[in-house]
Amino acid sequence: MGVRLMVVDDHRLLAEALASALKLRGHRVLAAAAPSAGAADLVISRAPEVCLLGTASPAEPGAFDPVVRIKRERPQVAVVVLGPVPSPLGIAAAFAAGASGYVRHNERIEGVERAMMKARAGEAAVEPQLLQGAFTELLNPATQPDDEGARLLQLLTPREVEVLVRVAEGEDTRLIAAGMGIAPSTARTHVQRVLMKLGVGSRLEAAALAARTGLLDRATGSSATAPAPVVSPPRPPGPPRGVPGQQGGG
């Protein structure tokens, strides 16, 4: 007995090609729709037994929002996702959204058909290898790359961040001191502390490291958004002092 289904994909040509192939195998295709983002309304109104939902980016946030809505309003519709591999996080996200199956984009038509039949019967339609990969990724997530710029920025005080920005702009100790309203010796001390904390031996290396890691962009961004310093209002003038030693003319 054929399955009453809909095919949804961001690429209309793929949706129509898959729909034609399934029609030739005896299934009743209600519609082949694109893009997938606006297909939830159509699926809800037509209420197929199975919806084949194609996605090119299953790991992106919101990729399976249509699945969530379909399952909320038409829980009897079994959704089978057609997506790329490897994408273990995408597979996990698909099932978390309520999908009944996940099939590779490059699967043969027989594999898609088997997944449809399983999903309609209420079974999970996913290859054991894909499911194992998804569980492995969830249990042993890949380490996120270290944001070296953010890490280095945390080592510096706000005053040292300002010194680093001025160093990167090519200011010497005299200009740094004048721009910050501090003594040249104090400016020199700040520069030495910045070099020490960044682990570099020269101002040029500090500027290069700040640019390479994005530290300079973060530093200028934080200084641009920093609140302006609070300036105390001027004190009212005191009573006039007497003029000492004035004598009248004789």
Side-chain angles (χ1 to χ4, degrees):
M1 181 179 178
V3 176
R4 189 164 49 88
L5 69 128
M6 286 183 58
V7 183
V8 175
D9 197 292
D10 287 331
H11 300 89
R12 182 175 293 277
L13 185 61
L14 296 179
E16 292 178 349
L18 181 55
S20 298
L22 291 170
K23 283 181 182 178
L24 292 176
R25 300 179 73 87
H27 300 287
R28 182 186 174 194
V29 180
L30 302 180
S36 58
D41 290 332
L42 187 59
V43 174
I44 292 168
S45 64
R46 303 296 291 273
E49 294 177 300
V50 176
C51 171
L52 296 178
L53 177 68
T55 177
S57 306
E60 286 188 1
F64 299 113
D65 287 350
V67 181
V68 174
R69 186 172 168 220
I70 290 169
K71 296 304 293 184
R72 182 176 66 243
E73 301 193 29
R74 293 285 187 180
Q76 72 275 17
V77 176
V79 180
V80 177
V81 174
L82 306 177
V85 174
S87 183
L89 292 179
I91 296 172
F95 280 96
S100 300
Y102 193 103
V103 180
R104 295 174 298 174
H105 257 151
N106 59 349
E107 181 61 81
R108 297 172 62 90
I109 190 66
E110 294 84 2
V112 176
E113 193 174 33
R114 284 195 299 270
M116 288 165 37
M117 304 298 287
K118 279 189 173 183
R120 185 178 67 172
E123 302 176 27
V126 60
E127 291 183 6
Q129 296 90 338
L130 298 184
L131 199 58
Q132 182 179 4
F135 280 129
T136 300
E137 177 68 20
L138 290 174
L139 294 174
N140 302 285
T143 303
Q144 295 295 321
D146 179 34
D147 189 342
E148 188 177 3
R151 180 177 60 81
L152 293 174
L153 186 61
Q154 292 179 347
L155 300 177
L156 306 177
T157 66
R159 179 58 62 93
E160 290 166 349
V161 169
E162 183 179 354
V163 168
L164 176 60
V165 172
R166 292 179 178 275
V167 167
E169 291 176 350
E171 294 186 6
D172 59 16
T173 301
R174 180 180 57 81
L175 288 176
I176 293 174
M180 298 179 64
I182 56 179
S185 59
T186 304
R188 192 175 300 109
T189 300
H190 283 315
V191 171
Q192 291 302 319
R193 286 178 179 172
V194 168
L195 300 183
M196 180 186 65
K197 289 184 178 182
L198 296 183
V200 295
S202 69
R203 301 184 182 207
L204 184 60
E205 289 181 64
L209 177 65
R212 177 177 60 81
T213 62
L215 173 57
L216 195 58
D217 293 334
R218 290 177 177 272
T220 54
S222 62
S223 62
T225 57
V230 177
V231 179
S232 300
R235 300 179 65 179
R241 297 179 181 178
V243 180
Q246 278 196 350
Q247 296 179 358

